[in-house]
Amino acid sequence: MTTDTFLSSKAALDPENFKLANCIRALSIDAVEAAASGHPGAPMGLADAATVLFRKHLKFDAKTPDWPDKDRFVLSNGHASMLLYSLLHLCGYEDMTIEEIRNFRQWGSITAGHPEHGHAKGVETTTGPLGQGIATAVGMALAERRLADEFGDDLVNHNTYVIVGDGCLQEGIGQEAISLAGHLGLGKLIVLYDDNSITIDGPTSVSFSEDVPARFAACGWHVQTCDGHDGSAVDAALTAAKAATDKPSMIALKTVIGFGSPNKAGTAGVHGAALGKDEADATKKALGWTAPAFTIPDELAESWKKIGTVGQDSRKAWEGRLAAAPEDKRREFERRVNGTLPADYEAAVSSARDSLFSEPRSAATRKASQMALEALAPALPEMIGGSADLTGSNLTRVPAVNSQFSREASGRYIGYGVREFAMAAAMNGLALHGGFLPYGGTFLVFSDYARNAIRLSALMGLRSIYVMTHDSIGLGEDGPTHQPVEHLLSLRAIPNLTVFRPADTVETLEAWDCAIRSMNAPSLLALSRQAVPQLRLERTEENLTARGAYVIRQFGEGRDITLIATGTEVALAVEAAEGLAADGLAVAVVSMPSWELFDAQPDAYRADVLGTAPRIAIEAAGKLGWARYVGSEDNVIGLSGFGASAPAERLYEEFGITKEGIARMAKSLAG
């Protein structure tokens, strides 16, 4: 079949949809040509199916893009960003002007190479690292299910649509997400799979040969296949998917990458590079497109603008239902979706502080975290927790967040299974959806599995809370495979992520308080397996952890030496300081639960805390990074390699993280 015959046959299937889809293809071609970089192939191949979705199924209002009960649309294969940007422009999203399309991938534009949440209205999440879009969408579907159960389907009743490519399904996180969604029966999650048989390296047969529909079906999904260029077939499949509410749905769309290109369609050559002027002109001619670059004919432009307004009636009806709801229900719903703290939260924090100061407790900081959750979660109905199959170790389950999220009923506790990456991405989806404050637990050493989703939390400025326990060699006999060494530094290196390593029960409560109040950055709590004494015994109203670091003990007048420590090593530093003071040295012990918060303090405060005397850092982890505070890694008591398998006490002794070792170094530096 010739190219012209093939295109004619596809155009005849749904002529109106084909013409509208060509608007997407033309804009995608023009934008990538102007930028001389980008991925035109997927937008060209997906244009027909995306047009059907926006034209006939997606519930949205381009003039009110943040309407809480709109459908969510996630482009998981984010390299196809011009598909999304074209749709937003054509539908009339006010910020997605033709100038922004012209400036695709340029400095200062909202049309980044991959969609970035917060840059443009209608971009529900940052995508690019393949597989994270679908996993984030699982979190959005979890949020919809739970919020609907809490407030009723008169206020919450929408679908989450996702477009994925082969790459999303080859990444491990894709399978984690598919498995979890199928297990929980997330029936309002609908995935369109762009089955175009092409990867960067060539045909998918190079690396990918499984039966994808069978794989989804095995995970409990409702599965269909259809011609992705047949608008009527896609329409019918989407209608059936919406009706299958007991299972998530996947529609495998057989498409041609670079659809319309006479010489590059169906090849890897159209995946990640501009067509080139000659091929772009030939493609437009083959498609019957005669308009100048970046120009949409008036008739087609008007049709697209109408598509962008179809959801206005649904949105207005929803606003009427919200206004008619009982006042307490309406106010609580608005508070939840706006992310503001409840009125009684302050009292919950104050009461928890009172309890710790009236009855000091020695406890592992993972236990202290559970205590903090027990005190604060009852005041925060938006809290939704979970663990990657380590609940009994992470201690992330408390009475207020005890109901299990299952296929039968949504709850406030999600059993993520051994899926650390998908857990973190789903937490992002919960946070992005609105109405929830997600937290999830695993071992700190397994943060590497979740790291890329944690990074996206920070990039998007989301209010996700990561509970990472077993934070050092102090976990003992499980050995170096489970003992985090480099992880604290690598996590501290992520911009806009606040890492906490609290020293005792009080600092742990304060770290939770900081994390809960952090509206524009995720937080990570590194917590111990072994018990530590409560060091803070005198009540203060100020959250000292919010300062990042502070003097927790002062021995003598002035300073001969400053000991800086985090987590479980703060108590060790205090013990060493007591001995040094007995020998006549003036010693300040600084607890530094958060580098990031300390670095954000005024210069004068930081100078006062650090002092001018020689400094030593003590942390049962890698030494790298501490020189910024103590001048040299020679002044750090920590690890230079991996840990070992032995009881914790023996490990601290063997690696020289002892009060005697601290004292020797302090005396040497104090001169």
Side-chain angles (χ1 to χ4, degrees), residues 555 560 576-587 659 663-664 666-667:
F555 298 91
D560 295 314
E578 290 170 343
L580 290 167
D583 290 338
L585 290 179
V587 186
K659 63 181 180 181
R664 282 194 299 272
K667 289 176 181 178

Side-chain angles (χ1 to χ4, degrees), residues 187-261:
K188 291 185 179 178
L189 177 64
I190 300 173
V191 170
L192 289 82
Y193 164 41
D194 182 24
D195 182 11
N196 61 30
S197 302
I198 292 294
T199 66
I200 294 174
D201 283 352
T204 51
S205 58
V206 170
S207 58
F208 190 61
S209 56
E210 65 224 47
D211 185 337
V212 172
R215 179 172 151 200
F216 274 82
C219 290
W221 287 60
H222 174 259
V223 175
Q224 304 172 81
T225 61
C226 73
D227 181 345
H229 301 296
D230 183 343
S232 298
V234 175
D235 181 25
L238 284 167
T239 299
K242 289 193 294 186
T245 56
D246 61 331
K247 296 179 178 181
S249 287
M250 187 277 275
I251 304 169
L253 305 170
K254 193 59 188 173
T255 63
V256 177
I257 190 171
F259 180 90
S261 172

Side-chain angles (χ1 to χ4, degrees), residues 339 341 345-346 348-350 352-353 369 372-373 376 380 383 437-439 461-467 496-502 505-526 536 541-550 592-598 600-601 605:
L341 290 172
Y345 173 71
E346 295 287 353
V349 176
S350 181
R353 291 177 71 84
S369 170
L373 276 171
L376 302 181
L380 295 164
M383 263 193 159
L437 172 55
Y439 70 89
L462 301 183
R463 194 169 161 226
S464 297
I465 303 174
Y466 301 96
V467 182
N496 200 43
L497 172 67
T498 306
V499 179
F500 296 92
R501 190 168 184 248
T505 54
V506 176
E507 281 193 5
T508 305
L509 172 65
E510 291 180 339
W512 266 106
D513 184 35
C514 290
I516 289 165
R517 296 178 191 273
S518 178
M519 299 297 174
N520 299 301
S523 301
L524 185 145
L525 281 66
R536 296 265 298 280
E541 294 301 323
E542 182 183 4
N543 182 328
L544 296 177
T545 298
R547 291 277 201 166
Y550 61 97
M592 188 178 281
S594 174
W595 287 17
E596 297 79 21
L597 294 182
F598 181 64
Q601 298 305 307
Y605 177 81

Side-chain angles (χ1 to χ4, degrees), residues 90-110:
L90 291 166
C91 288
Y93 283 75
E94 292 179 357
D95 59 346
M96 191 56 70
T97 63
I98 196 64
E99 288 74 23
E100 294 292 350
I101 300 293
R102 286 179 181 273
N103 289 322
F104 177 55
R105 289 181 161 232
Q106 304 308 301
W107 176 264
S109 73
I110 63 174

Side-chain angles (χ1 to χ4, degrees), residues 410-612:
S410 68
R412 289 180 65 182
Y413 197 82
I414 302 167
Y416 287 105
V418 188
R419 304 183 184 97
E420 296 88 355
F421 198 174
M423 175 182 72
M427 287 166 58
N428 290 343
L430 284 157
L432 284 162
H433 180 279
F436 293 98
L437 172 55
Y439 70 89
T442 187
F443 289 167
L444 181 60
V445 76
F446 298 146
S447 63
D448 279 348
Y449 286 133
R451 181 182 176 83
N452 208 271
I454 296 171
R455 182 176 185 269
L456 285 192
S457 300
L459 183 61
M460 290 187 275
L462 301 183
R463 194 169 161 226
S464 297
I465 303 174
Y466 301 96
V467 182
M468 302 287 182
T469 68
H470 296 60
D471 68 346
S472 72
I473 59 171
L475 68 89
E477 293 86 345
D478 276 347
T481 61
H482 283 57
Q483 292 166 0
V485 172
E486 74 278 18
H487 299 73
L488 284 168
L489 175 66
S490 71
L491 292 163
R492 288 165 176 160
I494 298 176
N496 200 43
L497 172 67
T498 306
V499 179
F500 296 92
R501 190 168 184 248
D504 67 357
T505 54
V506 176
E507 281 193 5
T508 305
L509 172 65
E510 291 180 339
W512 266 106
D513 184 35
C514 290
I516 289 165
R517 296 178 191 273
S518 178
M519 299 297 174
N520 299 301
S523 301
L524 185 145
L525 281 66
L527 305 169
S528 73
R529 177 177 182 264
Q530 70 271 38
V532 287
Q534 182 171 319
L535 299 172
R536 296 265 298 280
L537 301 174
E538 296 181 11
R539 180 181 172 97
T540 58
E541 294 301 323
E542 182 183 4
N543 182 328
L544 296 177
T545 298
R547 291 277 201 166
Y550 61 97
V551 177
I552 194 169
R553 291 285 192 279
Q554 175 69 51
F555 298 91
E557 297 293 328
R559 289 195 205 182
D560 295 314
I561 194 78
T562 298
L563 306 180
I564 307 172
T566 75
T568 48
E569 286 70 69
V570 177
L572 191 62
V574 170
E575 287 185 41
E578 290 170 343
L580 290 167
D583 290 338
L585 290 179
V587 186
V589 179
V590 172
S591 178
M592 188 178 281
S594 174
W595 287 17
E596 297 79 21
L597 294 182
F598 181 64
D599 290 347
Q601 298 305 307
D603 290 348
Y605 177 81
R606 287 187 286 123
D608 185 56
V609 169
L610 294 175
T612 57

